[in-house]
Amino acid sequence: MQVLLIEDDIDLAATISEYLAARGVDCDHAYDGLSGLHIATTSSPDVIILDVGLPGLSGFELCAKLRREAKLGLPILMLTARDALEDKVEGFGKGADDYVVKPFALAELYLRVQALTRRSQGRSSHRINVADLSMDLDTRSAKRNGVELELSRLEFDLLAALCAASPDVLPKETLARRVWHEDYVEDETIRTHIYQLRQKVDKPFGLPLIHTIRGVGHAVNVSNA
């Protein structure tokens, strides 16, 4: 695994690098935003660990550039002392895949990096297919039996999370983190969006794919049809 760490705190960067190296992870460093942008676009890291408070180019700005200009789809984990909700919203809005607040446990950081890498590798084809449902993660489009589905941003993210895990069931807590990027989302909110998704994905077609397993979570598969 190749990680690009963009962090201006030299001591913290060394600590993270040593911890990851002890677990077989190669770690490149950049200590400011512009250097990080150069390394990210000229090398091939599996994951970027990105501090927000960087000199020259903030982590938020850099993340947006990587997504918008460089069009990099690799996982980005933001590392910051900013724990306010509005900061998290901004980070995810700029394209971050995960958000870790300082101070943090190195073991947790390593586990999150592993999870992001597995998820990215699992979607390397940028397409997900379940029965007659197909999703293109690059164009953010979905089709059922060849018919284009008109999905909102959140509906697409919800369906993609369920399809990526198919045929397994995703607990509501996992959906909250992967789709809403929150530790907790009201049950009614999830149920409402699942219902709306069914109206577009299942109702017009003969085979239901979206299932609710009471007390466990939700899944996309054909086994419960």
Side-chain angles (χ1 to χ4, degrees), residues 10-214:
I10 296 176
D11 292 335
L12 177 58
T15 298
I16 294 173
S17 178
E18 289 171 4
Y19 187 89
L20 294 178
R23 284 148 185 82
V25 178
D26 292 327
C27 192
D28 287 334
H29 298 129
Y31 299 106
D32 62 78
L34 291 175
S35 297
L37 177 62
H38 174 73
I39 296 174
T41 54
T42 57
S43 62
S44 301
D46 296 306
V47 179
I48 294 177
I49 300 176
L50 177 60
D51 183 30
V52 170
L54 294 169
L57 189 68
S58 77
F60 289 146
E61 294 171 322
L62 175 53
C63 187
K65 279 183 173 292
L66 291 173
R67 295 301 193 215
R68 184 181 63 250
E69 298 177 15
K71 299 188 184 302
L72 291 186
L74 54 83
I76 297 176
L77 184 152
M78 282 195 167
L79 196 61
T80 176
R82 302 184 187 184
D83 60 354
L85 176 59
E86 54 266 30
D87 292 319
K88 295 181 181 180
V89 169
E90 182 174 2
F92 286 119
K94 298 296 186 184
D97 297 282
D98 203 352
Y99 196 104
V100 174
V101 177
K102 300 175 183 177
F104 57 89
L106 289 169
E108 179 185 359
L109 178 66
Y110 173 61
L111 290 174
R112 286 176 180 262
V113 166
Q114 281 189 313
L116 287 174
T117 302
R118 285 196 303 269
R119 195 183 312 167
S120 176
Q121 291 174 344
R123 297 182 181 180
S124 59
S125 67
H126 305 288
R127 291 180 180 273
I128 307 175
N129 297 290
V130 179
D132 60 350
L133 172 65
S134 62
M135 303 190 72
D136 188 316
L137 302 180
D138 289 331
T139 62
R140 293 184 64 83
S141 61
K143 293 182 179 181
R144 180 89 197 262
N145 196 26
V147 178
E148 190 83 24
L149 303 178
E150 295 185 6
L151 304 177
S152 69
R153 179 198 61 79
L154 193 144
E155 288 169 345
F156 183 91
D157 291 344
L158 178 56
L159 185 60
L162 291 169
C163 286
S166 179
D168 296 335
V169 179
L170 282 186
K172 61 184 180 180
E173 297 84 2
T174 303
L175 283 174
R177 290 192 296 270
R178 293 187 183 178
V179 180
W180 282 268
H181 305 296
E182 297 291 343
D183 291 329
Y184 176 78
V185 174
E186 293 285 346
D187 290 356
E188 184 60 29
T189 298
I190 297 177
R191 281 197 298 268
T192 298
H193 284 91
I194 289 290
Y195 172 80
Q196 293 172 339
L197 198 57
R198 281 197 178 105
Q199 302 310 298
K200 298 180 178 181
V201 176
D202 282 348
K203 188 175 181 179
F205 304 94
L207 178 68
L209 293 178
I210 302 172
H211 306 283
T212 297
I213 292 77
R214 191 174 298 276

